[in-house]
């Protein structure tokens, strides 16, 4: 490893695991997000993390309560980063914008303003959207198809870069003697005309300190990866294991090179969901509690009859996934009964993996003094999560292994619940990451901290005569 990893926090105030908000002491009220955001920002900045990342979702509905509660009600990401701009000094602030529905001029204006107000700490995550309900919320009959969304996204990025460059670096003269405020030749509008995006400009915000705030993109489709390879500074991946992450990173770097970029100009960032405590046993107990708090069909849950309750949260659904026969004796078990070794031996490959993960993450054992129950398996199967569970050393081992294997250039840290688990990460794991040289990047701007080269100019350079800039 030649330099520290990029380490940011993906902020979800209601927690990144669906039952996290139910954990004792966890934040559970979006109307009280403001103090939680301030606490997260202070913890992240004091820990020396590189950025805070805010995702987005442009619709809501009762079904999200069971699938992704944090999406039900949340602060607009641009509002969140502007709110935190005034109470932070060093940490980067990345907000998500949906290019399918956003206006490029308004986006350029907000992100350039954020960059100016923070001295170069802004970043923008560009997404194309996956929620069909968002279309009606923006006065459209249907969500655009994948090809159309990415055609627009490519034009959107081009327009953003042109708008950010509206002002040349030396366009602002402010010569009090002559009364000349600007060099008019240093102010340019994009005059951009695409099939999906049109913007005249120029931007009525001064030149951002970073010129181009870093662009982030995530996705798995061919078009998404192509956009990341050509335009993204950070590419967010969601590979299920180290091997696939390493392959994805290699593919993205090769695609960036084929597009004429240095492969080092695209940083591949993986998600990580650490459950960290003073000891491995204490961390196991937290995961155990999270699994037990997942609402399932146990014959008593009042949620089962509600619209949107997932059909896979039952013993029958797990046993089907485990490939057990319709007349298997396990189908008559109670969800809180222990799983016996005879039944576990009949599991198919996928269910056996789920069982192994439950044992690894909770410390329970089939046939052990503290046994695995069917409830644990149902919850782990229905609500999978890439937990990294243990003490500071265990979490740091994961970071170090992925770094050594070149599976990622950094991590987006998620917290199962807020604020205690994020605080545990910053207080317990961060010092160990620093000790190993895995954390501690330097730079005055977000671009510098991410190790990015200077932005590629979108405008052609302007030739100006000496007379155009005053005496």
């Amino acid at each position: 490893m030649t330099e520290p990893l990029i380490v940011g926090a993906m902020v979800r105030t209601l927690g990144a695991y669906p039952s996290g908000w139910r954990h004792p002491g966890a934040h559970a009220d979006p109307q009280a997000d403001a103090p939680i955001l301030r606490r997260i920002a202070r913890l992240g900045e004091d820990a020396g993390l590189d950025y805070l990342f805010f995702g987005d979702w442009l619709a809501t509905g009762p079904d999200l309560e069971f699938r992704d509660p944090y999406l039900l009600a949340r602060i607009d990401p641009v509002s969140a980063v502007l709110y935190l701009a005034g109470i932070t000094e060093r940490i980067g602030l990345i907000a998500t914008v949906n290019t399918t529905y956003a206006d490029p001029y308004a986006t350029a204006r907000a992100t350039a303003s954020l960059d100016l107000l923070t001295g170069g700490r802004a970043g923008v995550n560009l997404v194309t959207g996956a929620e069909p309900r968002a279309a009606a919320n923006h006065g459209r009959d249907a969500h655009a198809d994948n090809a159309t969304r990415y055609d627009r996204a490519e034009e959107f990025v081009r327009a953003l870069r042109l708008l950010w460059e509206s002002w040349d670096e030396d366009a602002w003269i402010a010569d009090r003697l002559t009364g000349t405020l600007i060099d008019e030749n240093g102010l340019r509008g994009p005059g951009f005309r695409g099939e999906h995006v049109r913007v005249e400009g120029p931007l009525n915000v001064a030149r951002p300190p970073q010129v181009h705030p870093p662009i982030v993109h995530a996705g798995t489709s061919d078009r998404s990866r192509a956009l990341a390879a050509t335009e993204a500074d950070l590419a967010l991946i969601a590979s299920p294991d180290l091997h696939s992450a390493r392959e994805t990173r290699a593919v993205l770097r090769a695609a960036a090179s084929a597009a004429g970029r240095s492969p080092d100009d695209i940083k591949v960032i993986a998600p990580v969901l650490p459950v960290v405590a003073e000891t491995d046993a204490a961390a196991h107990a937290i995961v155990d509690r999270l699994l037990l708090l997942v609402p399932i069909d146990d014959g008593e849950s009042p949620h089962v009859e509600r619209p949107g309750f997932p059909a896979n949260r039952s013993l029958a659904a797990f046993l089907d996934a485990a490939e057990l026969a319709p007349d298997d004796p396990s189908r008559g078990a109670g969800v809180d009964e222990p799983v016996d070794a005879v039944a576990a031996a009949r599991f198919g490959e996928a269910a056996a993996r789920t069982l192994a993960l439950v044992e690894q993450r909770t410390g329970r054992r089939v046939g052990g003094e503290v046994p695995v129950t069917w409830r644990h398996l149902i919850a782990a199967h229905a609500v999978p999560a890439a937990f990294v569970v243990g003490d500071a050393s265990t979490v740091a081992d994961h970071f170090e292994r992925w770094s050594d294997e070149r599976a990622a250039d950094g991590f987006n840290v998620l917290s199962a619940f807020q604020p205690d688990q994020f605080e545990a990460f910053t207080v317990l794991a961060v010092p160990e990451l620093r000790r190993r040289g895995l954390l501690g990047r330097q730079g005055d701007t977000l671009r510098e901290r991410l190790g990015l080269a200077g932005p590629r100019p979108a405008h052609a350079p302007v030739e100006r005569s000496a007379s155009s800039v005053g005496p």
Side-chain angles (χ1 to χ4, degrees):
M1 186 188 67
T2 58
E3 62 179 347
L5 291 163
I6 296 166
V7 182
M10 185 175 286
V11 180
R12 296 175 179 175
T13 56
L14 284 182
Y17 192 71
S19 65
W21 66 271
R22 298 184 67 192
H23 197 276
H27 175 63
D29 181 5
Q31 288 189 318
D33 273 358
I36 292 295
L37 289 175
R38 292 196 300 270
R39 185 169 177 184
I40 291 170
R42 285 194 296 269
L43 288 167
E45 184 156 84
D46 290 347
L49 300 193
D50 297 308
Y51 59 80
L52 301 175
F53 176 100
F54 291 83
D56 202 12
W57 200 254
L58 297 178
T60 193
D63 56 298
L64 295 174
E65 176 181 345
F66 307 109
R67 178 164 56 91
D68 292 305
Y70 71 92
L71 295 177
L72 276 166
R74 60 192 303 179
I75 302 296
D76 165 70
V78 175
S79 300
V81 294
L82 287 169
Y83 174 66
L84 297 179
I87 61 174
T88 55
E89 296 179 355
R90 300 177 303 279
I91 198 164
L93 299 168
I94 300 175
T96 294
V97 172
N98 191 315
T99 63
T100 303
Y101 302 109
D103 175 77
Y105 191 91
T107 300
R109 192 167 186 242
T111 50
S113 297
L114 176 66
D115 208 42
L116 282 162
L117 292 170
T118 60
R121 295 188 285 126
V124 60
N125 175 43
L126 299 179
V127 300
T128 66
E131 169 57 84
R133 289 176 287 197
N137 290 342
H138 292 81
R140 305 186 189 184
D141 294 330
H143 194 50
D145 61 77
N146 192 68
T148 300
R149 296 201 315 271
Y150 277 97
D151 287 346
R152 176 178 168 83
E154 290 169 356
E155 293 180 3
F156 195 102
V157 175
R158 175 68 176 167
L160 269 188
R161 294 193 190 280
L162 290 166
L163 285 164
W164 284 332
E165 291 182 19
S166 292
W167 293 90
D168 280 357
E169 187 173 6
D170 57 355
W172 206 266
I173 298 169
D175 187 327
R176 290 184 172 86
L177 183 61
T178 66
T180 304
L181 186 59
I182 66 168
D183 171 12
E184 63 183 37
N185 294 317
L187 176 61
R188 295 167 294 179
F192 183 79
R193 298 286 187 278
E195 183 179 350
H196 304 277
V197 170
R198 294 179 59 187
V199 60
E200 189 63 32
L203 190 65
N204 65 339
V205 178
R207 184 181 180 89
Q210 300 180 101
V211 188
H212 296 173
I215 290 176
V216 185
H217 185 62
T220 56
S221 71
D222 290 342
R223 286 297 299 276
S224 174
R225 290 192 173 179
L227 181 64
T230 58
E231 301 293 349
D233 299 298
L234 296 187
L236 309 186
I237 63 172
S239 297
D241 54 55
L242 186 149
H243 175 73
S244 59
R246 186 171 57 233
E247 288 189 344
T248 299
R249 179 175 181 270
V251 167
L252 286 167
R253 285 170 61 86
S257 182
R261 302 176 67 191
S262 166
D264 291 331
D265 285 344
I266 182 170
K267 309 297 184 181
V268 179
I269 308 298
V272 63
L273 182 50
V275 175
V276 60
E278 292 277 3
T279 65
D280 284 348
H284 292 157
I286 293 171
V287 176
D288 187 77
R289 174 68 70 92
L290 289 171
L291 291 177
L292 292 174
L293 291 174
V294 172
I296 68 168
D297 182 358
D298 57 5
E300 299 179 1
S301 173
H303 302 296
V304 175
E305 301 302 322
R306 288 179 53 185
F309 188 81
N312 64 348
R313 296 190 185 184
S314 68
L315 179 61
F318 174 77
L319 295 177
D320 287 345
E323 304 174 31
L324 296 190
D327 59 350
D328 191 279
S330 299
R331 292 188 180 271
V335 297
D336 291 310
E337 292 180 14
V339 179
D340 63 74
V342 175
R346 297 193 295 269
F347 286 179
E349 183 178 346
R353 284 197 303 270
T354 299
L355 173 58
L357 286 173
V358 168
E359 290 187 326
Q360 174 190 340
R361 293 168 175 175
T362 66
R364 290 176 176 264
R365 296 288 181 269
V366 170
E369 185 177 341
V370 183
V372 176
T373 71
W374 292 106
R375 182 183 292 273
H376 287 89
L377 295 181
I378 295 165
H381 167 71
V383 190
F387 288 125
V388 178
V389 186
D391 62 10
S393 181
T394 300
V395 172
D397 286 346
H398 177 86
F399 280 59
E400 191 164 28
R401 185 166 58 253
W402 279 54
S403 175
D404 290 346
E405 293 288 337
R406 293 179 170 81
D409 299 297
F411 291 95
N412 267 340
V413 176
L414 297 121
S415 298
F417 52 91
Q418 291 286 5
D420 290 358
Q421 262 303 289
F422 185 56
E423 183 167 5
F425 174 78
T426 61
V427 171
L428 299 175
V430 160
E432 179 63 15
L433 293 171
R434 284 191 177 279
R435 188 187 70 78
R436 300 189 190 191
L438 296 168
L439 178 69
R441 300 174 73 89
Q442 302 298 316
D444 293 330
T445 69
L446 182 57
R447 291 194 73 88
E448 292 170 353
R449 287 191 72 144
L450 299 178
L452 300 172
R456 294 164 289 155
H459 278 294
V462 172
E463 297 277 343
R464 297 205 291 277
S465 65
S467 62
S468 69
V469 295

